[in-house]
Amino acid sequence: MVSQASAASTRRNMAGIIQAPRRMPVASAVEQYMRVPKGAGNSVKWDPSVAPYVLEPMNCLASREYDAVVFVGPARTGKTIGLIDGWVVYNIICDPSDMLIVQMTEEKAREHSKKRLSRTFRMSPDVAERLSPRRNDNNVHDMTFLAGNYLKIGWPSINIMSSSDYKCVALTDYDRFPEDIDGEGDAFTLASKRTTTFMSSGMTLVESSPGRDIRNTKWRRTSPHEAPPTTGILSLYNRGDRRRWYWPCPHCGEYFQPSMESMTGYRDEADPVKASEAAHVECPHCHQAIAAHQKRELNQCGIWLREGQSIDRDGVITGEARRSRIASFWMEGPAAAYQTWAQLVYKLLTAEMEFEATGSEETLKAVINTDWGLPYLPRAASEQRRSDELMARIEDYGKRRVPPKVRFLMAAVDVQGGKNRRFVVQVVGYGENGERWTIDRYNIKQSMRCDENGESLQVHPGAFPEDWDLLLTDVLQKTYALADGSGKRMPVLAMAVDSGGEDGVTDNAYKFWRRCRQDGVHKRVYLVKGDSTRRQKSVTKTYPNNTERSDRRADARGDVPVYLLQTDIFKDQLSNAMARDVPGAGFIHFPNWLGEWFFDELTYEERGADGKWRKPGKGNNEAMDLFCYIHAIAFLRGYERISWDKPPAWAESQEINPNIFNEDTAREAVVVTTNKKKSKPQDKSPAAPSSLSGSSWLNGGGSGGGGWL
């Protein structure tokens, strides 16, 4: 028989049913009313001193200043007890309202309801007396209370997360949710829509340890509290006010984050048990060791700081805090209340040993995510060459000056479309045996076209063929002063131009080459493009012809040579060259005036297990592409076959190189004369696609004579 509330019981409970919400902090209410079950029918009062870092996030749940609270942290931090179960208790007693809890699966929802919530309700007298006595009102997934408020425990499905309105929604273990809920969007967006009816009093809570992959493995932190670019909870954290947990050093008093970087003392011991026992936290300010037994005391003294805030040793907070409608919190494993440092380090070391033995990263990833509270960076990505390693090699050989060992210069142009349309130009100087110097890097953004006010208009490589003429005046005809101060200058001998891009670029590239042919400089201009077909040869010369195809926009008539590059091969070669750390054969030099952005571009791409180079995100990689274009045309012209005992005239040393001239000398043309045999005249008629392993220079290549100009 269904149990129903009697009139007498209703009269007795009427005062509690119709009472106004109790205005008190969430943490204070949980401390007063909630008991935590310990098994075998035992329970204890919730102790705020065990995990004090959850107090501020808990109190934010009742603030109308925020629409959502996001908490990122490792397992065993007490976040589920305080933030989820505690918030439920608060909403039952202090602010009766409908609430939805979403677990990652139906099984987990059932487990959370029966093992945690039901026991908590039964052990907490103030909650138990508010449960509806009607059997039909309460089951595993639905609970109703005397005040009429309703609690739903569900899982990520569109049936649960749509249609109904809830004042409070909690998402637990968020990063284990599907990224797309039944094709309707992410869980946070769907959950937030359920609370919009309640306006500023609606609240969405999200808690989880990180579990999503880092989307851009080349990311670098630009602010102290920023999280790597991922989907999931760290993405929500970045949208919030970005609060991090700080400890005061017991030695110097300065505040610091208890993070993985601050944990030390365990790398010098081979035995993981002994190493874990030696682990300790080191203050980054005074470098004094902090023992494990001090963790609880430091947590009680800890403080959350928002992005933009700083704190001195006296506890005075300064700085303009980041503002957001999302209160977001992120703490790491060393501060976790329910896990010792020895356990934390032991799991890390054994997971690393398993990776070294098997090559499997699953265990290591789980430890980094759930125990340390950090997003995981795959080992393959972390082993890629970093930009700071190349920056450490910078040299002072003058800004846009040609060092003494450079024999000739070559340039490459990358065509960029979109809103920031431009020509990206890079100039590289070649010495003996593959040694290279980065000479110049710049953008061509403004065209010779003007608006009605006489202001120069932005270049548009796809729409205006005349904009390409800038590549002649601003690239091919450019010269660079020698670093020896002699007043002599060295010209750019050849130029590679990317012929692909947005609509109109390819057609205008062909038109540009035809104008170069009319001007007689076409043998110094190479149109290049990445080859979509894998071939044995590094470079394949083609003459595109689409006169019989109406679906192609580019005007290709079989008269313009285009060189298809096996870019993966050239990038492998470039990567190996960058790995050289001793000047000489194959070494690449970098000037000190190039910014960090250049080295980020140079190292942005990653090599996959299949041998292909890919961009991990939407970052820039122009520096790497341009290096490859330049080396491709050097390869085409026989650079790798040069005998440096008897180099061709254009590759002679600066003292006798005929292409070097005095800047005060009027220079219309430089003609290199030599006693070497002239090469045979080339057939100018269009030919079928042919693979090239090398060719001659303008008037004869590595074995022939003559020059470029």
Side-chain angles (χ1 to χ4, degrees), residues 126-422:
D126 294 280
V127 180
E129 67 183 19
R130 286 167 169 80
L131 278 168
S132 173
R134 300 179 57 167
R135 290 184 180 178
N136 290 345
D137 285 350
N138 299 292
N139 55 56
V140 174
H141 298 294
D142 305 274
M143 299 181 185
T144 306
F145 302 88
L146 290 176
N149 49 312
Y150 169 70
L151 174 64
K152 175 75 174 179
I153 304 107
W155 57 95
S157 73
I158 197 61
N159 291 332
I160 292 174
M161 303 187 69
S162 64
S163 302
S164 300
D165 293 326
Y166 298 92
K167 181 182 176 183
C168 303
V169 179
L171 311 178
T172 182
D173 282 328
Y174 182 77
D175 272 14
R176 281 79 199 170
F177 286 20
E179 293 197 33
D180 190 11
I181 308 296
D182 297 337
E184 297 292 330
D186 66 278
F188 176 76
T189 302
L190 294 174
S192 299
K193 289 180 180 179
R194 308 278 67 79
T195 68
T196 54
T197 301
F198 299 90
M199 303 179 69
S200 64
S201 63
M203 177 61 67
T204 303
L205 166 66
V206 186
E207 67 88 10
S208 179
S209 58
R212 303 283 175 81
D213 294 336
I214 297 177
R215 291 298 181 92
N216 181 3
T217 57
K218 302 298 182 180
W219 167 85
R220 287 189 170 203
R221 182 178 283 110
T222 57
S223 59
H225 293 185
E226 185 183 8
T230 69
T231 58
I233 196 164
L234 283 178
S235 175
L236 301 178
Y237 165 83
N238 275 336
R239 289 161 57 180
D241 52 18
R242 302 181 185 174
R243 309 186 198 195
R244 297 297 298 265
W245 186 240
Y246 283 78
W247 282 351
C249 175
H251 304 287
C252 66
E254 295 287 351
Y255 283 77
F256 68 97
Q257 295 182 38
S259 61
M260 189 178 200
E261 288 79 9
S262 63
M263 187 71 72
T264 187
Y266 59 91
R267 291 296 184 186
D268 299 330
E269 179 61 56
D271 185 355
V273 176
K274 294 181 179 178
S276 64
E277 293 171 349
H280 60 271
V281 168
E282 183 179 280
C283 173
H285 302 286
C286 65
H287 304 290
Q288 294 292 315
I290 300 172
H293 66 84
Q294 297 176 285
K295 180 172 71 172
R296 180 161 183 166
E297 179 186 352
L298 292 173
N299 268 334
Q300 292 175 359
C301 300
I303 188 171
W304 289 102
L305 293 182
R306 306 183 196 185
E307 182 92 276
Q309 292 181 323
S310 60
I311 186 171
D312 60 20
R313 64 179 62 192
D314 298 323
V316 179
I317 299 174
T318 57
E320 185 176 352
R322 177 184 171 94
R323 298 187 62 195
S324 174
R325 293 291 300 178
I326 299 175
S328 59
F329 304 80
W330 185 15
M331 59 167 289
E332 298 184 23
Y338 298 97
Q339 183 164 238
T340 66
W341 293 348
Q343 292 172 328
L344 195 64
V345 172
Y346 180 79
K347 291 178 181 179
L348 175 65
L349 295 176
T350 53
E352 290 178 342
M353 292 171 65
E354 181 180 329
F355 169 74
E356 294 296 332
T358 66
S360 175
E361 298 186 64
E362 283 76 12
T363 302
L364 184 58
K365 180 181 179 181
V367 170
I368 295 294
N369 287 159
T370 60
D371 292 293
W372 288 87
L374 295 168
Y376 183 70
L377 179 65
R379 287 301 174 97
S382 63
E383 292 171 359
Q384 297 280 351
R385 179 159 295 276
R386 295 171 50 180
S387 61
D388 55 354
E389 296 176 359
L390 295 179
M391 285 192 68
R393 288 171 26 186
I394 58 175
E395 307 169 41
D396 184 11
Y397 52 82
K399 190 172 184 178
R400 298 180 176 89
R401 294 292 188 267
V402 182
K405 291 184 179 181
V406 173
R407 302 295 186 91
F408 59 90
L409 302 178
M410 288 193 290
V413 181
D414 193 18
V415 184
Q416 292 293 316
K419 294 182 179 180
N420 189 22
R421 293 184 176 91
R422 66 196 186 279

